[in-house]
Amino acid sequence: MNVKIAGTLLLLVSLAPLALTQQQSRVYREGSNWVEEITGSLAAAKNLKLKVDVGAVRVVGGSQPGINYVIRTRTYSSAEDQARREFESYKINAYVRGDTAYINGDWVAGRPRKFSGEFIVNVPRQMDWVKMETEGGSVSTTGISGRVDAQSGGGSIHVDDIGGAISAETGGGSIDVGNVGGELNLHTGGGSIAIHSAKGKINAESGGGSVVLTSGLQGAVLETGGGSIKVNQCTGKVKATTGGGSIDLGNIAGPAEIETGGGSIRLSSANGPVRAETGGGSIELNGVSSARAETGAGGIVAKFVSSTGERTDSVLETSAGDITVYLAPNLPITIRASIDVANGHGIHASDFPEIHVTSEGGDYGPKTVTAEGVLNGGGPVLKVRTTTGDINIRRVGH
């Protein structure tokens, strides 16, 4: 009797994960292709782990208490018996173990040359964690209060209306993020990245696509191997780096570090120190309290405003190009400007009689022009230098 009871208990334990699954399937023809549709439901769980060898994945949070799913796989074989053998080779398993629901799609035999899939899973919104992984299809998740991990071998990733942190990685597809309440860690081998609104810190990296951030509340580190970077507004420090594209930053409520291998740089405003560097493009900095800007061959425009925060020394430097500086009327600052090869170029600072311009050389060698001045009692030093080009120092509004 004890042996029989023990054997019965062992059998029940082994079947327990599958006892929560209700699944049906049907195979039908659609045009010249064959489709297998699998529908099923699982009991409610705190977590979902979905891993498939092939197929697009879409997880949608809603008001339902449990989990239900529709899986459609498609084969491009014209013969029904061949199609059924291919469907049988792609094993679908769905079960609940502990507080986690699992949905897996695994090849148990050789993968056909043409085969596709789609996994649509509806879950309770109050999920703690959703993890999705596919070797090649797209991934989409919406309406989850917890955190989300998404991974694709090369497809696109879309997430929106997520309460927790997000980690998303694709070998080459685009990443699109809507509204997110937690931190973001995004990586794509070459696709574009677009972020609408994030309340947590942002780390976004692309091997070569563009990066766009509409709104961030806790700072952002944005990097691409060669695409452009655009930020509308962000609270906290922003670090933007690209191998060669342009960088356009809007209103930054914090410091900014901006670097491109050769594109242009533009900044609307920043509440902290700014560092901007490009190998050859132009630089335009508006509404800054202090800045260090350098370009290999472009012009520089910088507008300095009064700030109640910490102000440091500033440097504006270009190897070949004009530099134009706008200064707020009440800004306490010390000016030091120079043109190394000033033949045909000069320093123009008529708005500020306190700035004195002098020149040296010119008869038998290159002419050098320098300027110094103390405005409003003096303050942090602003050094302005161009190898060849004009320097214009103007009052804001002129």
Side-chain angles (χ1 to χ4, degrees):
M1 179 65 70
N2 290 339
V3 174
K4 184 176 181 180
I5 293 174
T8 302
L9 290 175
L10 181 61
L11 178 62
L12 290 174
V13 170
S14 64
L15 293 177
L18 300 180
L20 300 176
T21 306
Q22 298 178 7
Q23 185 168 287
Q24 296 179 339
S25 66
R26 66 186 183 102
V27 175
Y28 59 92
R29 192 178 184 93
E30 189 174 82
S32 59
N33 309 317
W34 289 92
V35 177
E36 182 180 37
E37 181 178 272
I38 299 173
T39 59
S41 61
L42 298 169
K46 292 183 178 180
N47 310 310
L48 170 66
K49 290 186 177 181
L50 193 155
K51 182 178 181 181
V52 299
D53 287 344
V54 61
V57 175
R58 180 155 58 98
V59 176
V60 181
S63 58
Q64 73 273 4
I67 298 171
N68 59 73
Y69 55 88
V70 178
I71 302 169
R72 296 183 182 92
T73 51
R74 182 185 302 272
T75 178
Y76 299 85
S77 174
S78 58
E80 181 178 357
D81 56 346
Q82 176 65 27
R84 288 185 179 274
R85 284 194 295 269
E86 293 180 1
F87 291 140
E88 290 174 359
S89 296
Y90 192 42
K91 201 69 174 178
I92 307 297
N93 289 309
Y95 57 91
V96 174
R97 180 174 293 154
D99 58 1
T100 302
Y102 296 84
I103 300 177
N104 299 320
D106 301 300
W107 285 112
V108 296
R111 177 174 173 176
R113 187 170 62 89
K114 289 186 176 182
F115 194 94
S116 62
E118 180 185 31
F119 292 69
I120 303 173
V121 185
N122 296 293
V123 301
R125 180 178 180 86
Q126 300 301 321
M127 297 286 286
D128 290 344
W129 180 35
V130 172
K131 182 177 182 180
M132 302 160 296
E133 183 178 347
T134 176
E135 290 191 1
S138 61
V139 177
S140 174
T141 312
T142 58
I144 302 297
S145 63
R147 64 190 179 100
V148 170
D149 291 347
Q151 184 175 343
S152 173
S156 62
I157 296 177
H158 170 73
V159 289
D160 188 16
D161 189 18
I162 307 298
I166 290 177
S167 175
E169 181 175 357
T170 172
S174 62
I175 300 177
D176 179 68
V177 179
N179 296 307
V180 179
E183 294 187 0
L184 286 178
N185 285 283
L186 313 175
H187 177 84
T188 171
S192 61
I193 298 176
I195 305 165
H196 178 69
S197 176
K199 294 181 179 179
K201 294 180 180 179
I202 300 169
N203 283 279
E205 179 182 0
S206 172
S210 62
V211 180
V212 177
L213 169 62
T214 302
S215 177
L217 294 183
Q218 292 193 36
V221 177
L222 311 174
E223 182 177 355
T224 172
S228 62
I229 298 176
K230 180 178 176 59
V231 177
N232 284 7
Q233 61 181 19
C234 188
T235 301
K237 181 179 179 179
V238 172
K239 182 177 181 180
T241 307
T242 173
S246 62
I247 300 178
D248 185 355
L249 304 186
N251 299 315
I252 308 302
E257 292 185 17
I258 314 165
E259 183 176 351
T260 171
S264 62
I265 292 174
R266 183 184 179 278
L267 170 69
S268 294
S269 68
N271 289 353
V274 174
R275 182 180 69 83
E277 183 176 342
T278 173
S282 62
I283 298 177
E284 179 184 345
L285 306 177
N286 299 286
V288 297
S289 58
S290 59
R292 292 180 174 269
E294 181 179 353
T295 174
I300 298 175
V301 176
K303 297 182 180 180
F304 290 86
V305 297
S306 300
S307 174
T308 56
E310 179 183 358
R311 294 178 59 235
T312 59
D313 292 346
S314 297
V315 179
L316 307 177
E317 185 173 357
T318 177
S319 297
D322 299 338
I323 300 177
T324 301
V325 179
Y326 292 90
L327 303 174
N330 60 343
L331 184 66
I333 195 168
T334 300
I335 303 294
R336 295 174 186 170
S338 65
I339 305 174
D340 294 345
V341 182
N343 297 344
H345 300 287
I347 298 177
H348 311 285
S350 59
D351 288 350
F352 301 97
E354 306 95 321
I355 298 177
H356 305 287
V357 180
T358 59
S359 62
E360 296 180 1
D363 293 336
Y364 302 101
K367 180 180 178 181
T368 300
V369 176
T370 60
E372 292 189 2
V374 176
L375 306 181
N376 300 304
V381 176
L382 169 59
K383 297 180 180 180
V384 184
R385 177 179 175 270
T386 178
T387 301
T388 175
D390 290 324
I391 294 178
N392 301 287
I393 304 174
R394 300 173 179 172
R395 195 182 303 274
V396 170
H398 285 206

